[in-house]
Amino acid sequence: MNKISQLAARILLGQIFLISGLQKIGGYEGTQGYMEAMGVPGMLLPLVIALEVVGGLAIVAGWQTKLASMALAAFTLAAAMIFHNNFSDQIQMIMFMKNIAITGGFMLLLAYGAGAYSIDGYRIKS
């Protein structure tokens, strides 16, 4: 049961970033404008997309899980503080707490690794 739970957790954590990164490609100008309105240089958007897509895939596959978890945890925490810091808006407070919870999930992956059903787990056995 632990092996399946670890795989499911990685899929649930990784898919949100994979989907978000792909959606940013389709809504590039809007996302870039939103970033700039929040004080983040729009020229960083390609890096954000790459981190979300590659990082999300890495988490799902369980490849370089600790490195991907560290990068996505830092990114998610930074996004919470930059984009979801208006605590008088209930939706923004919920989004902030969601990001904090996701960061916690990445911290668990960082501490315990990807598990058996992963590329990292396969490499450990070999």
Side-chain angles (χ1 to χ4, degrees), residues 24 27-49 52 75 79 82-83:
K24 283 176 175 67
Y28 195 92
E29 289 85 18
T31 303
Q32 191 174 40
Y34 178 65
M35 288 172 63
E36 289 171 351
M38 299 302 287
V40 177
M43 65 185 229
L44 295 177
L45 184 54
L47 296 175
V48 169
I49 292 169
E52 287 186 335
F75 171 77
I82 294 168
F83 296 102

Side-chain angles (χ1 to χ4, degrees), residues 13-25 31 45-60 71-72 75-76 79 99 106:
L13 278 169
Q15 60 85 28
I16 193 169
F17 291 91
L18 177 58
I19 292 168
S20 179
L22 294 174
Q23 287 178 333
K24 283 176 175 67
I25 295 169
T31 303
L45 184 54
L47 296 175
V48 169
I49 292 169
L51 176 62
E52 287 186 335
V53 171
V54 174
L57 286 171
I59 294 297
V60 169
L72 287 170
F75 171 77
T76 304
N99 280 32
F106 283 129

Side-chain angles (χ1 to χ4, degrees), residues 67-95:
L67 179 62
S69 293
M70 200 176 344
L72 287 170
F75 171 77
T76 304
L77 191 57
M81 293 186 294
I82 294 168
F83 296 102
H84 306 301
N85 59 18
N86 181 5
F87 299 141
S88 63
D89 180 343
Q90 185 177 11
I91 297 298
Q92 291 304 313
M93 178 61 144
I94 291 168
M95 297 293 283

